[in-house]
């Protein structure tokens, strides 16, 4: 059985390499993707790096191994390219927590506010936005806005609270959350810390405020990776989706990296089911068939491009 799986995976890897050349395709993967996808990707990164890479690639086809909003961002930046997401059902609970019609009402109710949206949103929400941010540049971009500027920040309330606390701003927050990061509990992390007193705590800002407060480092996936690589501790408790451990272990040989469990978890990690929908088989099929393809309404894409470009210019 194991041999048959290995044989199939070998075939898939070879076919993917062949098709990639034939179609001038670029495979990009987020750090939360399955290990075997990160392994074959031409580029892996956080949401910001994926957007930047999409904006500058000369490939004809982008296979975005991530979730739907990442594919949409790439398509908005590269309307003439074919953007494939291996499984279009790979959504995002955070993006879903901000329905465009409701967000539009919220924006209309505060006409004197600048609208800053996290990249984990639909294209329709981005079209209502002045500046898009990611967890990798949110603080840096907000710091560039005048202190007196009134800001709506959506949809992640935890990231919004983090920026408000760090900067003393009073951004108006949309109360959305990611079901994966919202599921980490302070109690479980403190229990782990008691068992590993020398371990440093790395926390993604999509986690709740109490976890941010006990963190040695709060940051995007790329920022947590950088910290773990450059810091001199031997052990880390990693409070984000556990897919990141694949790259972190490669980048931090000799260090102990402990996945943090969710509040209600029976296992010792916390995975995003949406991210894990993409498989090697589906990457192969997407390249072979040129589908499933991301499509964005032209008018929505036109409006959503401006705040994404503003983000890229400001970070
Ligand atoms: P970053 O990789 O930008 O930190 O984003 C985390 C995330 O939740 C992506 O879905
Ligand atoms: Fe969305 Fe959370 Fe999954 Fe990231 S980890 S894709 S924010 S549901």
């Amino acid at each position: 059985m194991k041999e048959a799986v290995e044989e199939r995976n070998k075939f898939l890897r070879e076919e993917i390499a062949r098709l990639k050349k034939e179609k001038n395709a670029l495979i990009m993967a987020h750090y939360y993707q399955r290990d075997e996808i990160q392994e074959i990707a031409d580029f892996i990164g956080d949401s910001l790096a994926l957007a930047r890479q999409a904006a500058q690639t000369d490939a004809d086809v982008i296979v975005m191994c991530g979730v739907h909003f990442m594919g949409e961002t790439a398509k908005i930046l590269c309307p003439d390219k074919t953007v494939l997401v291996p499984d279009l059902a790979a959504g995002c609970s955070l993006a879903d927590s901000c329905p465009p019609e409701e967000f539009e009402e919220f924006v209309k109710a505060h006409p004197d506010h600048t609208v800053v949206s996290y990249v984990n949103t639909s294209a329709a929400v981005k079209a209502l936005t002045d500046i898009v941010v990611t967890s990798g540049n949110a603080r840096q971009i907000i710091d560039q806005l005048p202190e007196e500027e009134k800001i709506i920040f959506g949809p992640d309330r935890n990231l919004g609270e983090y920026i408000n606390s760090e900067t003393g701003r009073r951004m108006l927050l949309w109360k959305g959350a990611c079901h994966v990061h919202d599921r980490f509990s302070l109690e479980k992390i403190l229990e782990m810390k008691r068992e590993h007193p020398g371990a440093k705590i790395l926390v993604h800002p999509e986690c709740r405020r109490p976890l941010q407060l006990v963190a040695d480092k709060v940051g995007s996936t790329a920022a947590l990776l950088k910290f773990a690589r450059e810091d001199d501790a031997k052990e880390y408790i990693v409070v984000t989706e556990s897919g990141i451990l694949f790259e972190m272990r490669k980048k931090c040989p000799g260090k102990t990296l402990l996945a943090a469990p969710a509040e209600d978890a029976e296992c010792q990690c916390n995975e995003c089911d949406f991210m894990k929908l993409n498989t090697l088989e589906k990457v192969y099929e997407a390249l072979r068939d040129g589908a499933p393809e991301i499509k964005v309404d032209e008018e929505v894409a036109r409006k959503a491009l401006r705040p994404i470009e503003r983000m890229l210019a400001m970070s």
Side-chain angles (χ1 to χ4, degrees), residues 103-302:
F103 193 65
E104 188 169 14
E105 289 302 310
F106 187 59
V107 169
K108 276 192 184 150
H110 304 92
D112 53 346
H113 283 58
T114 297
V115 182
V116 178
S117 295
Y118 195 30
V119 70
N120 297 44
T121 44
S122 62
V125 166
K126 289 187 178 77
L128 299 164
T129 294
D130 295 305
I131 314 172
V132 167
V133 298
T134 74
S135 48
N137 61 19
R139 171 77 199 271
Q140 183 195 7
I141 288 178
I142 300 287
D143 279 346
Q144 292 173 57
L145 302 179
E147 248 173 65
E148 62 286 1
E149 191 151 336
K150 292 181 182 167
I151 300 170
I152 284 177
F153 185 89
D156 191 72
R157 60 156 197 264
N158 295 330
L159 176 61
E161 272 179 31
Y162 175 69
I163 298 170
N164 274 347
S165 314
E166 293 290 306
T167 61
R169 292 206 187 234
R170 292 183 178 188
M171 301 189 301
L172 213 49
L173 306 183
W174 182 265
K175 301 283 193 274
C178 151
H179 75 294
V180 178
H181 289 88
D182 222 35
R183 222 159 59 199
F184 289 113
S185 78
L186 180 63
E187 198 179 335
K188 285 239 175 181
I189 304 307
L190 292 181
E191 273 170 19
M192 280 182 87
K193 177 76 179 172
R194 207 161 63 166
E195 284 165 29
H196 304 271
K200 287 196 178 167
I201 303 176
L202 309 180
V203 170
H204 196 279
E206 288 172 23
C207 296
R208 286 184 234 153
R209 187 68 191 142
L211 283 159
Q212 299 169 5
L213 288 170
V214 299
D216 293 284
K217 172 72 186 171
V218 176
S220 70
T221 49
L224 298 182
L225 264 165
K226 184 170 185 288
F227 184 87
R229 209 178 57 221
E230 293 173 357
D231 185 64
D232 55 9
K234 292 268 171 294
E235 222 177 355
Y236 298 86
I237 298 167
V238 186
V239 194
T240 187
E241 209 271 358
S242 45
I244 196 177
L245 292 168
F246 180 68
E247 181 67 9
M248 218 177 235
R249 290 198 169 116
K250 280 208 281 189
K251 290 274 156 63
C252 307
K255 295 191 176 184
T256 304
L257 302 160
L258 306 160
E263 192 165 31
D264 47 355
E266 277 154 31
C267 65
Q268 195 59 32
C269 69
N270 190 2
E271 288 191 343
C272 173
D273 294 340
F274 294 119
M275 283 280 181
K276 276 20 183 197
L277 279 177
N278 295 324
T279 61
L280 214 50
E281 192 82 41
K282 289 179 196 170
V283 174
Y284 159 64
E285 287 168 4
L287 268 171
R288 184 194 62 194
D289 305 340
E293 191 180 347
I294 292 277
K295 301 269 186 203
V296 185
D297 173 82
E298 256 181 52
E299 180 63 6
V300 172
R302 195 183 55 75

Side-chain angles (χ1 to χ4, degrees), residues 65-76:
C65 301
V67 292
H68 194 270
F69 77 80
M70 295 175 175
E72 272 190 341
T73 306
K75 184 67 186 175
I76 292 164

